[in-house]
Amino acid sequence: FAASALRLGSADGAPSLGTAARFAVLSAATGGNGAVTCTDASLKGSIGSSGARPAVVLTRCALRGMVTAPVTPRVLADFNNAYQALEANACDQILTGTLAGISLAPGVYCFDDAASLTGTLTLNGPSSGIWIFLVNGDLTGNSFNTVMAGSARPCNVYWSPSGAATMTTSNLKGNVLAGQAVTITGGSFIGRAFATKAVTLTTVAAQGCGLFD
């Protein structure tokens, strides 16, 4: 990512998720170490994990979807290809700060360091607009709200930290493809939560893309 952050130009575009697209949650940890935990939460969408079924722990989790564990090697390959495709995008703008009160048009946005977000971010554009956020480190959100304006669609938004993604009492929209774990606690989530490590959902109302968007 560090190299791409220095390249300003047009976006290569949103990646193809391939067979991974059918999941709302995917833990793609190597070595069959995938793990998903859903506690006191609701999830409209399917769960996938590279680990065995016992590593998907649902406790008072209202799931409207299927659990596939382990997923096929093709799903893991498609996730990895999508993650690498996101990282290959050239940055249109380098961002700093919490993004509170900011409105952004479609484009590729990069953080040179970890991103700590709060307040309300508005994404304003047409239904075909694509937003890509590349973070060189961890992505964290505390009382962070994503608002779609115009005809913008949540499932056309991509968040790709090289580290972990951690959202607390936030209302995040978009596809998260994280280089480490994804943890979402409280608030709401619309999109996909994909990680190279574990995915943990706690007291969150989550809704996937596809059949449910």
Side-chain angles (χ1 to χ4, degrees):
F1 168 77
S4 68
L6 300 176
R7 296 186 295 114
L8 301 181
S10 60
D12 295 329
S16 170
L17 297 174
T19 57
R22 67 176 180 266
F23 296 102
V25 170
L26 175 63
S27 173
T30 60
N33 291 316
V36 176
T37 302
C38 178
T39 305
D40 294 322
S42 63
L43 174 60
K44 295 180 180 179
S46 294
I47 294 173
S49 175
S50 63
R53 180 61 181 82
V56 177
V57 180
L58 309 178
T59 305
R60 298 179 300 278
C61 178
L63 175 65
R64 183 182 169 189
M66 304 292 292
V67 175
T68 304
V71 295
T72 65
R74 174 65 182 274
V75 170
L76 300 178
D78 285 348
F79 162 78
N80 286 319
N81 288 338
Y83 182 80
Q84 292 168 10
L86 279 173
E87 294 296 299
N89 277 279
C91 301
D92 296 318
Q93 182 178 341
I94 305 299
L95 299 177
T96 59
T98 66
L99 303 188
I102 299 297
S103 180
L104 295 175
V108 181
Y109 299 95
C110 298
F111 286 85
D112 280 337
D113 300 298
S116 182
L117 309 182
T118 191
T120 297
L121 166 67
T122 300
L123 303 179
N124 192 348
S127 60
S128 59
I130 302 294
W131 289 260
I132 295 174
F133 295 90
L134 303 177
V135 180
N136 190 25
D138 293 341
L139 168 67
T140 59
N142 196 332
S143 298
F144 173 64
N145 301 301
T146 314
V147 174
M148 313 306 295
S151 301
R153 302 183 62 183
C155 294
N156 286 345
V157 181
Y158 296 83
W159 303 89
S160 186
S162 62
T166 304
M167 291 287 143
T168 306
T169 58
S170 295
N171 299 295
L172 182 69
K173 295 179 176 67
N175 303 283
V176 179
L177 282 76
Q180 295 292 326
V182 172
T183 303
I184 304 176
T185 304
S188 66
F189 174 67
I190 298 176
R192 297 180 177 93
F194 290 179
T196 62
K197 302 292 184 182
V199 178
T200 302
L201 305 178
T202 307
T203 61
V204 60
Q207 176 175 315
C209 298
L211 294 175
F212 301 102
D213 64 358

